[in-house]
Amino acid sequence: MQATATVLVYSDNAHTREQVRLATGRRPAPDVPLVEFVECATPAAVLKELDRGGIDVCVLDGEAVPMGGMGVCRQIKDEIFNCPPVLLLIGRPQDAWLATWSRAEAAVTLPVEPVEFANALASLLRRKALAGA
């Protein structure tokens, strides 16, 4: 198992980014690596970090302004070679179909529920580790 996993968190709302950090803790599950965060408040910053490389999972806020996480997800899936898996934060459970449209691998509702979020993030980190093995 790698020593750390890098999780990119995109939201224009600092409180939402904090919810993600607190729900994750040092690691979302015992069988996945420790997590380091890269926080982005703009879509341009997301693209810059993904171009730099080293991101294991993206957490994107579907309610972000001016560009929501679903639009950002669809864009990065089209433009980033070997795009990392994406966990979308959605406003309502009924928006899950939009998460599918954006090609996100997982979605959870806002506000962040710590156990649900940690389980979803850990699942994506496991999947990423298996793909890299």
Side-chain angles (χ1 to χ4, degrees):
M1 175 171 43
Q2 67 187 51
T4 60
T6 303
V7 175
L8 181 145
V9 182
Y10 163 64
S11 179
D12 66 316
N13 185 324
H15 178 68
T16 300
R17 295 191 309 266
E18 179 184 40
Q19 285 181 49
V20 167
R21 286 192 321 271
L22 292 174
T24 305
R26 291 178 46 107
R27 71 173 56 172
D31 64 328
V32 299
L34 295 171
V35 171
E36 294 178 353
F37 294 98
V38 173
E39 294 186 33
C40 298
T42 66
V46 171
L47 293 174
K48 181 179 176 182
E49 291 297 334
L50 289 172
D51 282 341
R52 186 176 298 168
I55 302 296
D56 294 298
V57 173
C58 295
V59 177
L60 307 177
D61 180 1
E63 305 299 309
V65 175
M67 187 174 185
M70 291 183 208
V72 171
C73 182
R74 184 118 176 145
Q75 180 179 356
I76 65 176
K77 292 295 184 175
D78 285 340
E79 296 179 4
I80 303 296
F81 180 70
N82 286 335
C83 184
V86 173
L87 172 55
L88 267 177
L89 305 175
I90 56 177
R92 311 170 310 152
Q94 297 88 337
D95 293 336
W97 74 272
L98 287 169
T100 301
W101 166 85
S102 71
R103 295 184 272 182
E105 283 77 7
V108 298
T109 56
L110 287 167
V112 173
E113 195 286 311
V115 173
E116 177 189 23
F117 178 83
N119 287 338
L121 181 59
S123 176
L124 293 180
L125 289 168
R126 287 183 199 106
R127 188 181 320 174
K128 175 81 173 177
L130 287 174

